[in-house]
Amino acid sequence: MTELNVTPQEFKYLKEQLTARMIQILTEEQGYSLEDAIDRVYTSPIYEKLSDASTGLFFQSPRYVLSYM
């Protein structure tokens, strides 16, 4: 179990959904190509923090998390 009372499976699901939405926002609203959006999200320092359940970022909105990129 992770720090915020979610199972590892729940954390993985929530992180994946948030990441997918962030990529969608970058492509549809900010004009990134899919490849560039994926690269930008997965190589960003904020993704490292998002991957740490103790930060609680996976509970935030995708726009909020993107604001830190």
Side-chain angles (χ1 to χ4, degrees):
M1 200 173 261
T2 59
E3 295 241 346
L4 299 170
N5 290 331
V6 296
T7 66
Q9 296 82 8
E10 290 168 332
F11 170 69
K12 181 181 176 191
Y13 174 80
L14 291 168
K15 182 180 83 166
E16 288 173 355
Q17 293 301 306
L18 179 61
T19 302
R21 183 65 181 121
M22 289 166 57
I23 291 168
Q24 182 182 20
I25 290 168
L26 288 174
T27 58
E28 293 179 359
E29 297 177 18
Q30 296 187 16
Y32 284 81
S33 70
L34 181 58
E35 183 178 292
D36 287 344
I38 290 169
D39 184 59
R40 179 165 169 132
V41 169
Y42 284 105
T43 61
S44 69
I46 199 69
Y47 184 75
E48 188 175 327
K49 294 188 184 311
L50 177 61
S51 297
D52 179 358
S54 68
T55 67
L57 277 177
F58 64 97
F59 277 131
Q60 302 302 319
S61 76
R63 291 182 198 287
Y64 177 80
V65 177
L66 278 173
S67 73
Y68 287 96
M69 289 180 48

